[in-house]
Amino acid sequence: MRRLFRSYRPLLAVAAVLVAFGVTFVWPLENALDFDIDRSPRAQAAKQQDAYDLRRLRVLSRVILKVKDAYVEPKRVDARRMLLSGLNAIQRSVAPVLVHYHDGDPKVEIQLYDKKAEFRVDDVTAPWQLTERFKSIFGFLQDNLREEDLDLRDVEYAAVNGMLRTLDPHSVLLTPDVYNEMRTSTRGQFGGLGIVIALREGLLTIMRPLPGTPAERAGLLKQDRIVKIDDEATLNMPLDEAVKRLRGTPGSNVDVWIRREGAQGFQKPKKFKLTRAIIHLDSVESRMLSGGIGYIKISSFQGNTHDDMERSLAELHRQPMKGLVLDLRDNPGGLLEQAVKVADAFLTTGTIVTTSSNDPSQRDEKFATREGTEPNYPMVVLVNGGSASASEIVAGALQNHDRALVVGQTTFGKGSVQLLYDFPDDGSALKLTIAQYLTPGDVSIQGVGIVPDIAIDPMTVDREDMDLAVDDVYTRESDLRRHLTNERASDEIKSAVVMRYYLPPSTREAIRSAAPEDSPENAQEDEFLTSFSRDLLAKAGRAGRKELLADAAPVIAQSSEKELARAIAELKKLGVDWSVGADGGASDVAVSAEPSPSAATAGQPFELKVKVTNNGKAPLFRLRGETKSDYPLFNGRELVFGKLSPGESREWTTTLGVCTVEKEKRRCNLPDDATDRADGIRIAFEEAHGHAPPATEIRTTVKSLDRPQFSYQYQVADPAGDGDGRIERGESVTVFFDVQNTGKGKALNVTANLRNLGGPGVLLRDGRFELKEIPAGEARRVAFTFDMLPDFEGDHAEVEVSVADLQLREFASEKLRINVEPKTVDTVAAKSGNVLAKDGTPVMAAPDANARAIARTTEGVVSFPAEATIGDFVRVNLGEGRPGWIASKYLATGEPAKGKVVFDKSRMPPRLTVDYAHTLVTRTRTLKLTGKATDDARIRDLYIFVGAKKVFYQANRGDTKVLDFTADVPLEPGINYVSVFARENQDVVTRDTFVVRRDGEGGELLKTPDHDSEEADEFEGD
């Protein structure tokens, strides 16, 4: 079902790194219960940055040793390639590092700022040489990375994961944070409150309390807002930070402040004192379907999965159960021993799974036992492209032993086994592929997956987003770079039956928009597979896979006829005749295609109009077309013509944008943040009797919107406190934040946020503002507020102010370090009336000559309402309760004011101008870029990526506010994503991205290489 579900990207998603697509032996699991990330060695060492020595190779040397001793395919261990890939990973993650290398060169040059060093690579042929060479390279980096605010551990972690990419997609170094979370999820329990939480509009929101947990017993409800945890406000708090604060040792207490709306709501936030308990993570869901058919869904294989399933089966057996649906859809895997136990519950004899490594003596077979085996009732296993590793073991064992009928879509196809090696020194762990597994009969599913006995595919009739083709949306093992292969795997196995069913557009939209954390009882999911499996089992006369398949024929025929009739009826409403008549022979079809408009603009409608004319003597039936393009948004769009009689012309228009529903009104536009690009679209046709016309091809261009850019200014003040301009404990603090759109384009959906970075003692009050649209040149002002609690510890507070256009993905942010001073008695004298300030007077943020000027008078004398004096400064009212301070020496006498006040908004990301002569299509191997980066503070450096490969770096050693650059950017055949970055500092970066297509020398379209450049596992030099 095209564009229905998100494709799985196992190596890009954090969840996938944790458990997904990995049959994992968690070792040593018992130690995981005592792991606390806040007390981990990494957390302690992070406070001692200078003490970390990259040259010691604390992690890298251990990883190399484990790879040498245990990796499943020693022939893949290429030390030179690992070195280059590790360097590539470093240059991708550390801005000033650029690696120069051409394939076959004996040396690699590493550039760090303006310093360069060469290192040999041609002599790196063994793991021990790899270790020695990285020691030298790390020494060069460590000696020269003093300007960068980064943790040197992250440099080593990047290098290790770069090396591991050369092996396979599943060998990876888990950083301490990731490893800790993975151990929590695999052991199936933790100390906490029992709530599923998510961020909604910047607010920590309860999606559902789990039954029988402290949260449910205390009366917490779905949609409750958690506004404070102990003494720390949660507004704009990252989700992982909130989880850390809510979890803890069982028996410990935590205060949770809840804001609730509606009939049961509170006028003010209410405190709930909760005692943490062991929270059991359920991976098993069960219920009884009609007709006496049981249903069990296993979402993952964790430490308690088998026991939970046994309890569910016992509950189902209390009613007369005639058959069972075992749902493994979207089950990414987990623990091998749990998968074996689950399969064993339904088998009486035979092999469940065999693991084989590079050492034949290490072959290990897991057999079924007769203990606890379920009765031999009819059984269906549901799978799809998201079913991986451990779930494939279960499905494969039950299918190969003819115990169950497998229904759904071909599974992910991961037939490898990973072992976890724990590194206690820093809390990280190596997940290394040490074996491949074989299903019964020594059959490998590596790269091919479990093929269902009955393949199920949905179809939807929707003029703007048609889906009639049998297709596959899941990214599978075989799509990943460097995936393992196995000679025992066969891609020639086919499903016995391919069955279609009708999915209404409204249901499809609900599935697309459903968030993972939405509660199951309210999630609208596709239930056809469940009801079809129930009907199949209810009418089955026999158990066993082959017998079930034979008995299913009437159900399949009846269901297929019914579902196709629904689709045909919907097509008829659109004027399409989807009938099939007799084959009339060869065809003569004229095709014309054109985009509308001819040049598309981001945020606007964009359509493809195709006209077909039957110039032949025989009718065509079920004529349809489908687009093929390197741009995913233009790929897989269907054009439906149906029956086309001789002499008849038909036209179909399909959207090439993204369809969304807002207030029951549907919009189909290109994304607002689409970049400049040019693409080819090939339209391939098919017809019921094979008389489709030849494919046709068109070219399109997309123009991006003019971008907004944010300049801003802030002032930290205490107008609700004692008004002395000093921030003290026990005071209410205001951060006045002025933002202006200084870019060429309108900002479409702007939010301004304040986030606490310093832990407890800072209680946010007003920390999020929805500013909506800001036209070019216009400004907005907000006032963030927070309380500096009396028990705040430390001499400064850290907060972050930010402004973002969520639609156009333009951001600006800054971390503020606010001095918190002891409570003193200041001589603040009240003052009334007005004071006059001279032309050019600086208005200060605080009564201090060294404070920052937030505004300046201009064009004459300005009159201000006076409020107070302290020392040589007068506090004046700048409007809307905002204070400013003017030194007495700038005060004037005389006539009323005629000047004005101009607020400073000079704080902004760098301005970046890139000239590529709008070359969106070229036949050359390089693209010449010129441009300039400017900044009112400082341009630190500029660098360029093509895809995931860094190709240019230039440090700014001249005028600190201007950096001119010229770069010859190498282009790969097909689509090239070119991104230019200009940095003011580690956190303030501007990016300009555009897309260039490189065609063949004769002008023919060259297809983009079939791989994901973000997962490139080897260095591609300049």
Side-chain angles (χ1 to χ4, degrees):
M1 182 173 13
R2 195 173 303 279
R3 302 179 300 277
L4 175 55
F5 301 105
R6 300 180 182 90
S7 293
Y8 276 81
R9 292 284 184 182
L11 297 182
L12 300 181
V14 173
V17 175
L18 302 185
V19 183
F21 310 114
V23 180
T24 307
F25 300 87
V26 180
W27 178 86
L29 185 59
E30 59 273 18
N31 294 338
L33 296 174
D34 299 323
F35 189 82
D36 182 344
I37 195 166
D38 291 329
R39 297 190 296 274
S40 67
R42 171 174 165 79
Q44 297 171 14
K47 301 175 183 178
Q48 305 174 24
Q49 165 77 5
D50 295 338
Y52 192 81
D53 188 355
L54 273 175
R55 299 176 184 87
R56 291 183 60 187
L57 310 180
R58 296 178 182 177
V59 176
L60 188 142
S61 59
R62 293 184 183 185
V63 168
I64 292 173
L65 180 61
K66 296 298 183 183
V67 169
K68 174 180 175 294
D69 291 343
Y71 188 65
V72 62
E73 287 192 18
K75 292 181 180 179
R76 284 188 172 230
V77 182
D78 184 327
R80 175 179 162 278
R81 174 180 250 184
M82 294 174 74
L83 172 64
L84 293 172
S85 187
L87 293 178
N88 188 31
I90 292 174
Q91 75 166 346
R92 286 164 60 178
S93 60
V94 183
V97 174
L98 180 62
V99 181
H100 301 277
Y101 177 76
H102 293 280
D103 190 32
D105 285 354
K107 295 181 179 180
V108 62
E109 181 185 82
I110 300 178
Q111 175 183 338
L112 179 54
Y113 305 115
D114 295 331
K115 293 182 168 44
K116 297 180 179 179
E118 288 189 340
F119 301 89
R120 287 190 64 182
V121 297
D122 59 342
D123 63 345
V124 179
T125 59
W128 67 268
Q129 293 166 323
L130 181 60
T131 304
E132 289 301 314
R133 197 54 36 84
F134 262 117
K135 183 180 294 186
S136 302
I137 292 170
F138 280 173
F140 170 71
L141 295 176
Q142 182 163 304
D143 290 342
N144 295 286
L145 269 175
R146 300 300 180 185
E147 294 184 36
E148 292 298 306
D149 180 19
L150 54 84
D151 190 334
L152 293 178
R153 291 162 189 75
D154 294 330
V155 178
E156 185 169 6
Y157 292 155
V160 170
N161 274 321
M163 293 191 312
L164 293 174
R165 284 194 191 101
T166 68
L167 301 179
D168 65 78
H170 308 291
S171 293
V172 64
L173 180 74
L174 306 177
T175 60
D177 293 18
V178 173
Y179 183 35
N180 183 49
E181 186 62 31
M182 190 214 69
R183 293 199 284 191
T184 296
S185 61
T186 53
R187 67 177 177 255
Q189 60 183 29
F190 59 90
L193 306 179
I195 48 176
V196 177
I197 58 175
L199 286 176
R200 291 290 184 267
E201 300 171 343
L203 301 173
L204 195 62
T205 305
I206 295 177
M207 303 310 296
R208 65 182 184 274
L210 302 179
T213 62
E216 185 195 49
R217 290 192 293 268
L220 299 188
L221 303 176
K222 179 181 177 180
Q223 297 303 319
D224 279 352
R225 308 282 199 175
I226 302 177
V227 298
K228 189 167 70 166
I229 302 172
D230 289 329
D231 287 332
E232 189 169 1
T234 64
L235 184 64
N236 297 322
M237 179 184 289
L239 196 60
D240 60 337
E241 293 294 327
V243 170
K244 289 179 186 178
R245 286 156 176 74
L246 293 172
R247 288 182 182 174
T249 306
S252 61
N253 294 326
V254 59
D255 291 336
V256 176
W257 297 76
I258 296 295
R259 192 180 79 201
R260 181 178 299 169
E261 299 176 353
Q264 304 180 57
F266 324 123
Q267 289 186 343
K268 295 182 179 180
K270 180 179 178 181
K271 183 173 79 171
F272 290 77
K273 181 177 286 292
L274 302 173
T275 301
R276 298 182 179 97
I278 292 292
I279 303 301
H280 183 94
L281 292 176
D282 290 328
S283 62
V284 177
E285 169 196 338
S286 65
R287 64 182 185 270
M288 183 64 77
L289 306 176
S290 62
I293 305 302
Y295 172 88
I296 289 181
K297 180 175 179 61
I298 300 179
S299 57
S300 65
F301 289 90
Q302 56 193 36
N304 47 20
T305 296
H306 174 258
D307 292 342
D308 288 352
M309 187 190 74
E310 288 290 312
R311 281 191 287 271
S312 295
L313 285 168
E315 286 292 326
L316 292 173
H317 280 307
R318 292 180 182 177
Q319 308 173 54
M321 189 174 77
K322 299 177 182 178
L324 178 69
V325 177
L326 180 62
D327 192 345
L328 300 179
R329 288 177 294 174
D330 294 319
N331 180 324
L335 301 178
L336 174 65
E337 51 95 11
Q338 288 293 310
V340 171
K341 287 182 177 181
V342 167
D344 190 20
F346 303 102
L347 297 173
T348 58
T349 186
T351 301
I352 293 175
V353 65
T354 301
T355 56
S356 62
S357 65
N358 57 59
D359 183 355
S361 65
Q362 297 299 313
R363 178 182 171 95
D364 179 33
E365 290 188 73
K366 303 293 184 183
F367 297 97
T369 66
R370 293 185 177 275
E371 298 179 5
T373 300
E374 282 288 291
N376 191 33
Y377 41 67
M379 187 173 176
V380 164
V381 177
L382 299 181
V383 296
N384 63 10
S387 306
S389 69
S391 54
E392 291 177 293
I393 287 176
V394 174
L398 298 180
Q399 183 185 55
N400 289 3
H401 285 298
D402 291 329
R403 177 63 182 88
L405 192 66
V406 177
V407 177
Q409 297 172 320
T410 300
T411 61
F412 181 77
K414 179 183 175 296
S416 58
V417 182
Q418 284 70 46
L419 181 65
L420 277 173
Y421 297 96
D422 193 355
F423 298 155
D425 285 355
D426 72 326
S428 65
L430 170 64
K431 182 160 77 84
L432 184 68
T433 302
I434 51 92
Q436 292 202 47
Y437 72 76
L438 306 173
T439 57
D442 277 4
V443 177
S444 172
I445 56 93
Q446 175 63 27
V448 297
I450 301 292
V451 178
D453 301 298
I454 302 176
I456 306 290
D457 189 77
M459 50 187 170
T460 299
V461 174
D462 181 350
R463 175 173 287 279
E464 293 167 324
D465 193 2
M466 186 69 69
D467 185 14
L468 293 182
V470 176
D471 49 30
D472 197 349
V473 299
Y474 288 94
T475 297
R476 290 190 165 82
E477 176 80 10
S478 57
D479 298 316
L480 304 180
R481 286 181 63 84
R482 303 292 297 166
H483 67 271
L484 295 170
T485 58
N486 195 306
E487 61 183 12
R488 294 189 176 98
S490 173
D491 59 0
E492 297 180 358
I493 301 173
K494 304 298 180 184
S495 298
V497 177
V498 177
M499 201 185 80
R500 313 298 307 283
Y501 73 98
Y502 186 73
L503 185 70
S506 58
T507 305
R508 183 180 63 177
E509 186 62 36
I511 297 172
R512 286 174 170 174
S513 60
E517 63 272 7
D518 287 339
S519 57
E521 62 269 18
N522 291 328
Q524 296 189 51
E525 59 177 296
D526 167 26
E527 286 296 333
F528 174 81
L529 274 169
T530 304
S531 59
F532 170 76
S533 301
R534 177 202 62 208
D535 294 344
L536 188 154
L537 291 173
K539 297 178 182 179
R542 298 168 291 176
R545 169 174 163 252
K546 295 177 181 177
E547 292 77 11
L548 272 173
L549 188 58
D551 293 344
V555 178
I556 294 172
Q558 181 181 4
S559 183
S560 296
E561 183 179 349
K562 173 185 174 184
E563 297 300 314
L564 181 59
R566 294 178 66 190
I568 291 175
E570 294 299 321
L571 286 168
K572 187 175 181 180
K573 294 177 183 178
L574 299 180
V576 176
D577 181 350
W578 202 243
S579 62
V580 177
D583 184 355
S587 65
D588 179 10
V589 181
V591 178
S592 64
E594 61 179 11
S596 177
S598 57
T601 303
Q604 298 300 312
F606 189 39
E607 298 176 331
L608 174 64
K609 295 181 179 180
V610 177
K611 182 179 180 181
V612 294
T613 301
N614 186 354
N615 294 323
K617 297 180 180 180
L620 301 175
F621 298 94
R622 292 191 179 177
L623 179 63
R624 60 175 293 276
E626 186 171 335
T627 62
K628 309 292 182 184
S629 176
D630 281 329
Y631 189 12
L633 196 61
F634 295 170
N635 188 52
R637 299 290 175 166
E638 298 183 33
L639 308 107
V640 181
F641 306 99
K643 181 181 178 181
L644 189 65
S645 300
E648 183 182 9
S649 295
R650 296 187 66 84
E651 185 178 277
W652 189 272
T653 300
T654 183
T655 174
L656 293 178
V658 176
C659 295
T660 58
V661 179
E662 298 177 4
K663 297 180 180 178
E664 300 184 355
K665 186 176 182 180
R666 195 176 197 188
R667 295 174 64 247
C668 295
N669 294 344
L670 288 174
D672 293 315
D673 62 345
T675 58
D676 287 345
R677 61 183 300 146
D679 292 278
I681 301 177
R682 183 172 178 268
I683 307 164
F685 295 91
E686 63 181 39
E687 191 264 349
H689 299 298
H691 302 308
T696 188
E697 204 167 75
I698 64 169
R699 295 183 182 238
T700 64
T701 60
V702 176
K703 186 181 185 305
S704 63
L705 295 175
D706 287 333
R707 312 291 293 187
Q709 189 169 40
F710 300 116
S711 64
Y712 63 92
Q713 180 232 60
Y714 63 85
Q715 176 190 0
V716 182
D718 60 340
D722 58 14
D724 65 355
R726 300 165 63 251
I727 306 305
E728 301 162 336
R729 291 170 182 80
E731 276 193 325
S732 181
V733 181
T734 300
V735 180
F736 295 97
F737 187 69
D738 293 272
V739 59
Q740 183 174 5
N741 179 3
T742 54
K744 296 180 179 179
K746 178 168 62 176
L748 302 178
N749 184 16
V750 183
T751 64
N753 295 280
L754 179 73
R755 183 160 71 97
N756 175 31
L757 302 177
V762 175
L763 184 59
L764 299 186
R765 297 291 185 188
D766 299 297
R768 181 180 178 88
F769 293 89
E770 302 284 348
L771 303 180
K772 305 301 182 184
E773 294 184 350
I774 303 182
E778 292 193 10
R780 302 286 188 272
R781 174 180 294 173
V782 300
F784 301 117
T785 62
F786 64 88
D787 292 340
M788 190 66 65
L789 299 181
D791 58 355
F792 176 82
E793 298 179 0
D795 57 3
H796 69 274
E798 291 186 354
V799 298
E800 179 186 71
V801 290
S802 64
V803 58
D805 184 336
L806 302 180
Q807 281 181 244
L808 294 177
R809 302 185 188 183
E810 290 290 340
F811 306 90
S813 67
E814 185 170 343
K815 296 175 183 176
L816 312 184
R817 185 182 175 98
I818 302 172
N819 290 330
V820 181
E821 303 183 37
K823 192 74 174 177
T824 59
V825 178
D826 291 307
T827 307
V828 180
K831 187 176 178 63
S832 59
N834 287 3
V835 295
L836 300 178
K838 301 174 182 177
D839 186 11
T841 295
V843 182
M844 314 302 284
D848 186 335
N850 296 319
R852 192 163 49 84
I854 57 175
R856 191 172 295 273
T857 62
T858 184
E859 299 181 16
V861 176
V862 177
S863 175
F864 293 95
E867 296 181 334
T869 61
I870 181 169
D872 291 331
F873 285 85
V874 177
R875 190 178 77 214
V876 298
N877 188 340
L878 300 177
E880 301 177 11
R882 183 174 187 175
W885 298 87
I886 297 176
S888 300
K889 64 182 179 179
Y890 291 107
L891 297 182
T893 58
E895 297 298 321
K898 295 182 180 179
K900 63 181 181 180
V901 179
V902 177
F903 285 89
D904 171 55
K905 299 187 188 69
S906 62
R907 307 182 79 87
M908 67 174 68
R911 277 85 72 199
L912 182 59
T913 302
V914 181
D915 181 12
Y916 52 93
H918 294 283
T919 305
L920 299 180
V921 181
T922 182
R923 301 175 191 174
T924 63
R925 295 175 179 269
T926 61
L927 177 69
K928 190 177 188 65
L929 298 183
T930 59
K932 176 182 292 188
T934 58
D935 192 86
D936 294 333
R938 174 197 178 195
I939 290 291
R940 184 169 186 168
D941 50 23
L942 180 142
Y943 48 96
I944 301 173
F945 276 82
V946 177
K949 182 178 69 173
K950 186 187 291 183
V951 298
F952 179 83
Y953 175 83
Q954 183 176 332
N956 194 18
R957 299 306 189 201
D959 184 342
T960 58
K961 297 183 179 182
V962 179
L963 191 156
D964 294 295
F965 69 94
T966 300
D968 290 318
V969 173
L971 300 176
E972 295 292 327
I975 292 297
N976 293 265
Y977 290 85
V978 182
S979 296
V980 183
F981 298 83
R983 285 201 309 165
E984 178 182 306
N985 55 51
Q986 193 82 351
D987 301 310
V988 181
V989 183
T990 293
R991 178 180 70 177
D992 185 8
T993 297
F994 55 96
V995 180
V996 177
R997 169 180 281 280
R998 178 186 148 199
D999 284 348
E1001 294 182 2
E1004 72 274 15
L1005 288 170
L1006 295 180
K1007 182 172 174 56
T1008 301
D1010 189 18
H1011 63 79
D1012 187 340
S1013 62
E1014 291 185 342
E1015 295 178 4
D1017 59 4
E1018 58 198 64
F1019 181 78
E1020 298 172 348
D1022 53 359

